[in-house]
Amino acid sequence: MAEFTRDEVIQVVEDGRKCRGANLQGTNLSEANLGRAYLNGANLYRADLRGANLYGADPTGATYTANTQWPEGFDPVAAGAVLVDDDG
C-alpha cells in the first residue's frame, strides 16, 4: 500500500487522481474536501475524517476500525467501507 501524508492526499484528490489502496492509517483528514476521492481499498484504520466532505467520495472496499472517526451522519457501511478488527 502506498503511504500518504495529509497534504499529499488532499493534492491527489484535488488533481482528480485516485487514492486506491492508499495507507491512510492514522492520517488526520478532518475538515478535508475529499468529495472527489477514490478511496477504494484504502486503509482508513484510526483515520480522523471528522468534518471531512465525503459527498461523492467512493470508499468501496476501504477498511476501517472502530477507532476511525467519520463525519457526523456518514454511514461507512452504506458507502461500501468494511469494518475490521483492530489489534493494535
Side-chain angles (χ1 to χ4, degrees):
M1 266 185 201
E3 294 189 32
F4 294 96
T5 66
R6 173 190 170 87
D7 291 337
E8 288 170 335
V9 171
I10 292 169
Q11 189 61 55
V12 164
V13 171
E14 287 176 354
D15 291 348
R17 294 179 285 147
K18 296 177 171 70
C19 294
R20 182 172 288 136
N23 184 0
L24 303 177
Q25 181 173 334
T27 303
N28 179 355
L29 294 168
S30 60
E31 304 297 328
N33 182 0
L34 302 175
R36 296 175 48 199
Y38 293 95
L39 299 169
N40 311 83
N43 173 352
L44 299 174
Y45 291 23
R46 296 181 301 260
D48 183 353
L49 298 160
R50 291 176 294 175
N53 171 20
L54 293 175
Y55 180 75
D58 183 5
T60 303
T63 54
Y64 70 98
T65 63
N67 293 320
T68 300
Q69 298 174 310
W70 296 97
E72 188 173 327
F74 183 79
D75 184 347
V77 173
V82 178
L83 177 64
V84 296
D85 287 332
D86 183 9
D87 293 332

